[in-house]
Amino acid sequence: MDTQAIFPSGGARAVRVAEHSAAPYDPLYDPLVKPPGRGQDYAPTYWVATAGEPPPDDGPISGDADADVVIVGSGFTGLSAALTLARDFGISATVLEANRAVWGCTSRNGGQGQNASGRLYRSQWIQRWGKDMALRLDAEIRDGFEYWKSLVATIDCDAQPGGHLYTAHRPKKLSFLKNEARVLRDVFGYDARMLTREELHARYAADHEAAGALLEPDGIGVHPLKLAFGYLRQARALGARVHPCSPVLGWEYEKGRYHLRTPGGTVRARRVAFATGGYTAQGIHRLLDNRIMPVLSNSMVTRPLSEAERRQAGLHSTVFITDTRVLRFYYRLLPDGRMQIGSRSAVHGADAVQPRHLHLLRHGLARKFPMLRDVQVDYSWWGWVDVSHDMMPRVTQPDPTHQVYYALGYGGNGVSFSAQAGRRLAQRIIGKDGVHWDLPIYDTPLPGHVFAPYRRLGQTMLYRWYYLRDEIF
């Protein structure tokens, strides 16, 4: 049965919203071995349970259609791009989503909005590209963070400002953090500073592992699904069309148009952009194959803690925290008094359901906050993260002879930067000039890797080495 909804777009427009039933959620989904699916329900995340009813969408594609721009993927990036196209350029993009709207990493991440993107620290930017380019890249990332903040301010998404803490999980990591604090202050002009263990415990969190911490001034924790639902409402109100249950099964280029085949019909488009993150399946397009390393991240959320329990555990702040492990833990106190913690998980999707991955999180929480050792866990889930082979994202047109674009490779730092990536993706699609296009995240495609077919074997070996580095050496 269909319902009708009216949304303003320079005048009212009627939008058909299909009440389609969802397919069962597949907890073993793996983008390297499975197609993206069709109409899967959301993962059982805390965010899904507390975001409220999803906003209306435009239902699955039901017949052949034409579009100026098609965006594949309805997460943060795809919706940001659709919003920018509609708001700034008057283009009503068609967004195709394989499963439910904002189904992928957008509904499963930790909600940590940092002034960052990719896996590299700013000191590593200097080492890779030199100081001048690092300063220009910082200006772009900082501009993106401010843009994201402007969107957050328009959406009720349980925003928790206050910055971001990097905790030294071992004393030997303090020198690394002190150097990063110096670089942030002296080179980039941030009000970053070190906290002693005592200051960290007294003001923020009594993390028993932490030997101290670096406090970055920029950082906002959000409810990611509430934020994404806000993007969805805004984009559709301006004319964008979002079609769930419409995976791209294949496509051809004919007479100046890309013909994207979905189960319900073919969409013919002049320009196509991919914003599929860690859920970018193999075989979608040659320009995407083997360009990212999908990595699983697990997350859990406890029952609500009473005020007395929070005080006893030493939880004094909702500022979100990341430790200095390579296989890092990220954690924070949520607005309703629950603790959320996440970390890396299984290597293969088929292994994701094994209890040891949840045990890793429980053990990590207990090491940091012993009083929470036996606290009840109400929610547990996992999702794929898009890690690029050189640890930095790309927003680009990889082949100048084709009107095909993508924004991928955030490496777990996409909650805030995805807004800027979507905005820049939209600008690239319409051919807007910009002084930023010669930055390294914009002027080259994602690199491939000669050993990509063996990436899971390499990942297994790296995880063992990382564990030794994190916990032993």
Side-chain angles (χ1 to χ4, degrees):
M1 177 180 178
D2 294 332
T3 60
Q4 298 291 320
I6 303 296
F7 291 88
S9 180
R13 70 178 176 94
V15 179
R16 186 171 67 88
V17 181
E19 294 179 350
H20 48 84
S21 59
Y25 164 64
D26 177 9
L28 305 182
Y29 174 75
D30 188 326
L32 291 187
V33 298
K34 289 186 176 184
R38 179 184 178 187
Q40 283 190 45
D41 204 351
Y42 294 111
T45 72
Y46 167 77
W47 314 123
V48 170
T50 57
E53 283 297 314
D57 54 52
D58 293 278
I61 291 291
S62 57
D64 295 350
D66 292 300
D68 187 5
V69 176
V70 163
I71 298 169
V72 184
S74 69
F76 283 144
T77 304
L79 292 176
S80 172
L83 176 60
T84 301
L85 288 168
R87 181 194 62 216
D88 297 349
F89 305 111
I91 296 174
S92 298
T94 295
V95 181
L96 301 180
E97 168 61 53
N99 299 294
R100 299 194 67 178
V102 294
W103 174 85
C105 191
T106 295
S107 66
R108 312 178 198 214
N109 62 77
Q112 296 188 354
Q114 296 180 234
N115 180 13
S117 187
R119 301 290 296 174
L120 300 184
Y121 296 94
R122 279 169 171 77
S123 63
Q124 294 172 306
W125 295 359
I126 297 172
Q127 294 169 7
R128 181 172 292 188
W129 296 297
K131 180 179 176 181
D132 290 343
M133 182 60 77
L135 285 168
R136 291 187 58 218
L137 182 58
D138 171 72
E140 173 67 7
I141 301 297
R142 191 184 308 206
D143 178 75
F145 185 74
E146 292 301 318
Y147 174 63
W148 177 73
K149 283 170 59 178
S150 74
L151 293 176
V152 169
T154 68
I155 298 168
D156 182 6
C157 58
D158 301 341
Q160 297 173 297
H164 170 232
L165 286 163
Y166 273 119
T167 56
H169 77 284
R170 301 171 69 186
K172 65 181 292 185
K173 287 293 185 178
L174 282 172
S175 59
F176 161 74
L177 289 181
K178 289 176 181 176
N179 180 68
E180 291 303 317
R182 179 189 60 79
V183 170
L184 287 169
R185 285 193 310 269
D186 298 348
V187 178
F188 297 102
Y190 289 104
D191 184 23
R193 63 189 184 90
M194 291 297 297
L195 302 175
T196 65
R197 174 184 171 92
E198 291 72 26
E199 289 173 319
L200 173 68
H201 282 209
R203 294 181 54 190
Y204 294 97
D207 183 336
H208 283 229
E209 283 191 318
L214 163 61
L215 174 62
E216 294 184 320
D218 295 321
I220 302 175
V222 296
H223 189 302
L225 195 54
K226 288 184 179 180
L227 180 62
F229 283 169
Y231 287 6
L232 177 58
R233 291 186 183 96
Q234 292 183 14
R236 290 190 68 248
L238 292 172
R241 288 168 170 78
V242 179
H243 296 280
C245 307
S246 302
V248 176
L249 305 177
W251 58 324
E252 298 82 28
Y253 181 72
E254 298 178 7
K255 299 179 181 179
R257 294 267 177 171
Y258 296 94
H259 294 238
L260 289 81
R261 291 181 283 108
T262 77
T266 296
V267 182
R268 297 174 292 267
R270 291 177 55 225
R271 292 165 285 191
V272 180
F274 284 89
T276 43
Y279 293 81
T280 306
Q282 291 286 95
I284 295 293
H285 193 279
R286 62 177 179 80
L287 296 173
L288 297 171
D289 284 348
N290 299 320
R291 296 293 171 171
I292 63 167
M293 177 68 194
V295 173
L296 272 175
S297 183
N298 263 37
S299 194
M300 78 175 197
V301 171
T302 72
R303 63 162 174 80
L305 305 175
S306 68
E307 182 178 350
E309 287 174 321
R310 297 196 299 271
R311 186 168 56 251
Q312 185 179 355
L315 298 170
H316 312 302
S317 170
T318 58
V319 170
F320 60 81
I321 306 171
T322 311
D323 71 21
T324 47
R325 289 176 170 85
V326 179
L327 301 177
R328 64 188 60 171
F329 286 98
Y330 52 93
Y331 42 109
R332 64 174 168 134
L333 183 65
L334 297 172
D336 61 0
R338 300 173 187 267
M339 273 297 288
Q340 184 267 341
I341 185 169
S343 187
R344 292 298 172 255
S345 178
V347 172
H348 301 270
D351 186 50
V353 297
Q354 295 302 317
R356 67 178 179 276
H357 305 302
L358 176 58
H359 175 74
L360 173 72
L361 297 182
R362 294 192 66 110
H363 182 57
L365 185 64
R367 281 188 294 179
K368 295 176 181 301
F369 306 100
M371 184 266 176
L372 303 180
R373 180 177 304 278
D374 299 317
V375 68
Q376 176 181 312
V377 174
D378 281 354
Y379 301 93
S380 172
W381 69 90
W382 48 90
W384 293 95
V385 177
D386 53 329
V387 179
S388 69
H389 293 298
D390 68 353
M391 303 298 166
M392 289 297 286
R394 296 297 192 285
V395 183
T396 191
Q397 180 184 6
D399 183 344
T401 65
H402 285 276
Q403 297 293 302
V404 178
Y405 307 81
Y406 59 63
L408 297 168
Y410 306 138
N413 262 333
V415 171
S416 60
F417 182 70
S418 55
Q420 180 82 337
R423 180 166 68 153
R424 296 302 189 213
L425 183 63
Q427 292 169 349
R428 301 211 73 156
I429 288 169
I430 62 100
K432 182 177 175 61
D433 291 333
V435 296
H436 32 258
W437 295 145
D438 64 340
L439 291 172
I441 59 175
Y442 298 136
D443 68 351
T444 59
L446 284 166
H449 199 288
V450 65
F451 295 116
Y454 312 103
R455 72 191 84 181
R456 290 286 169 74
L457 176 61
Q459 184 183 357
T460 301
M461 297 171 65
L462 278 173
Y463 274 19
R464 292 174 180 171
W465 167 238
Y466 291 157
Y467 172 80
L468 292 174
R469 286 180 56 187
D470 287 340
E471 310 298 344
I472 308 298
F473 298 148

